Amino acid sequence: MSDLIREAPFGQLVRFVTRNRYFQYPEEKPDFVLPEAYNTALNGKGPIQEKESHEAELQRSRTPSANGSASSSEDLEAKLTRTKSREDTPQWSEARLEIERELSLERTKSMPIAPTKTADGNILVDWYTTDDPANPQNWSNLKRGFVAMQICLYTFAVYSASAIYTSSIPQVEEVFHVGPTAASLPLALYVLAYGIGPLIFSPLSEIPVIGRNPIYISTFFLFVIISIPTALAKSFAALLVLRFLQGFLGSPCLATGGASMQDMYSLLKVPYAMTFWVSAAFCGPALGPLLSGFAVPVKGWRWSLSEI
């Protein structure tokens, strides 16, 4: 539970205010001990695995051993303790599926993962063990389901916020004295903005020092704040600008949400998670007008934007 709180906005805020004194990561704790494999690698003692292509590894693992059953057992043990990396293979490929199958077997055992050394001498930091609790794919089904549900609700809210405005178009025409085409601009600009946003936020979320959570937290916080003046806009120009900012700040989950699902679920199970996420995305625009249409004729055009 502490890990879940630490990654939430509240936990990150506490870490920032206290300068990482609370909700510490394992490496920040005084009693943290660096795994022996990394001590060996840093001190330059003993052998360290060289990074090789996954295709060559699979070919070697499939080659029959000439030394009988004893050699086969040794090859199997070496194969299971070899560092695996999903990034070594193309996404949605047969090679990625093969490595996911191997990883699913390794996670049933607690085995140390030796660090990998690149050709230029850099040591790549990997998970410490095959069942490392910090690895999202090793989280419990309950924790992964909770996080996946949050991403689905996040996606639904942002997508429904686009079409939820359509119920207000007739009244916007009357209040701001604009035609049907101009009154549709707040919807068009919102959609345009959430198409532009992922071009910026998605690459940023792939940078290790940034990650996905800071992007999610900061943009969604601003999305909620921007929604207040949007519902209170006094001029049509302000409404256009604020709707564009709304769509831009709500956009990260629309592209990065699928990547978060893949972070938590292996290629063997990610199709099920993606089904729920895509369903939330499709239900948003479809249900948006329904969420506001029942009240806008009575409460006024601002009601649809206040619901966001």
Side-chain angles (χ1 to χ4, degrees):
M1 181 58 70
S2 61
D3 294 344
L4 198 60
I5 297 175
R6 181 183 63 205
E7 301 302 335
F10 171 76
Q12 292 298 309
L13 180 61
V14 170
R15 282 176 51 81
F16 177 77
V17 172
T18 63
R19 296 185 179 181
N20 303 334
R21 290 181 58 189
Y22 298 98
F23 298 116
Q24 293 180 327
Y25 289 97
E27 292 81 0
E28 296 172 334
K29 296 178 180 179
D31 58 349
F32 173 74
V33 178
L34 190 66
E36 186 61 32
Y38 285 88
N39 280 324
T40 301
L42 291 172
N43 295 329
K45 300 177 182 179
I48 186 170
Q49 298 176 21
E50 297 290 338
K51 188 176 180 64
E52 62 177 346
S53 67
H54 182 62
E55 288 76 10
E57 182 182 347
L58 288 177
Q59 183 63 32
R60 179 156 56 83
S61 66
R62 290 169 179 166
T63 303
S65 174
N67 297 327
S69 58
S71 298
S72 298
S73 300
E74 294 175 359
D75 290 344
L76 178 60
E77 182 179 356
K79 176 172 175 289
L80 290 176
T81 56
R82 188 173 300 112
T83 302
K84 308 291 185 182
S85 177
R86 305 167 76 215
E87 285 68 28
D88 289 340
T89 57
Q91 291 186 351
W92 316 112
S93 63
E94 191 67 28
R96 172 66 66 86
L97 181 60
E98 183 69 23
I99 204 171
E100 293 285 9
R101 286 172 179 162
E102 294 179 10
L103 285 170
S104 64
L105 293 176
E106 291 186 10
R107 289 191 192 100
T108 62
K109 307 174 183 178
S110 181
M111 303 171 61
I113 298 178
T116 303
K117 187 176 182 180
T118 61
D120 55 0
N122 292 324
I123 298 174
L124 302 182
V125 178
D126 206 328
W127 307 113
Y128 297 139
T129 60
T130 54
D131 63 344
D132 194 330
N135 185 348
Q137 296 200 8
N138 290 331
W139 290 350
S140 66
N141 290 330
L142 182 61
K143 183 177 180 179
R144 286 186 295 178
F146 177 74
V147 174
M149 181 189 67
Q150 285 188 313
I151 295 174
C152 289
L153 292 175
Y154 181 12
T155 303
F156 175 82
V158 173
Y159 265 122
S160 63
S162 62
I164 204 172
Y165 165 79
T166 56
S167 302
S168 301
I169 290 179
Q171 292 189 22
V172 169
E173 295 177 26
E174 297 177 7
V175 172
F176 295 110
H177 308 290
V178 295
T181 303
S184 299
L185 275 176
L187 171 62
L189 289 174
Y190 185 96
V191 174
L192 174 65
Y194 75 51
I196 295 175
L199 298 178
I200 300 173
F201 295 123
S202 292
L204 288 176
S205 71
E206 296 293 339
I207 300 176
V209 72
I210 298 177
R212 309 206 194 281
N213 266 5
I215 300 293
Y216 284 147
I217 294 171
S218 59
T219 57
F220 191 62
F221 173 77
L222 293 175
F223 173 83
V224 174
I225 296 300
I226 286 291
S227 297
I228 299 174
T230 303
L232 302 175
K234 299 297 184 180
S235 66
F236 188 65
L239 179 62
L240 295 180
V241 172
L242 291 170
R243 281 290 286 176
F244 181 87
L245 293 176
Q246 250 191 338
F248 183 76
L249 294 171
S251 64
C253 66
L254 308 185
T256 312
S260 296
M261 294 296 185
Q262 191 179 11
D263 290 340
M264 295 185 293
Y265 295 95
S266 70
L267 194 58
L268 303 175
K269 296 182 179 179
V270 74
Y272 304 107
M274 291 293 290
T275 299
F276 287 99
W277 179 68
V278 172
S279 297
F282 276 97
C283 288
L287 297 179
L290 181 64
L291 296 175
S292 62
F294 74 96
V296 167
V298 178
K299 295 292 187 179
W301 69 272
R302 298 182 188 275
W303 180 263
S304 63
L305 300 177
S306 300
E307 285 185 327
I308 299 175

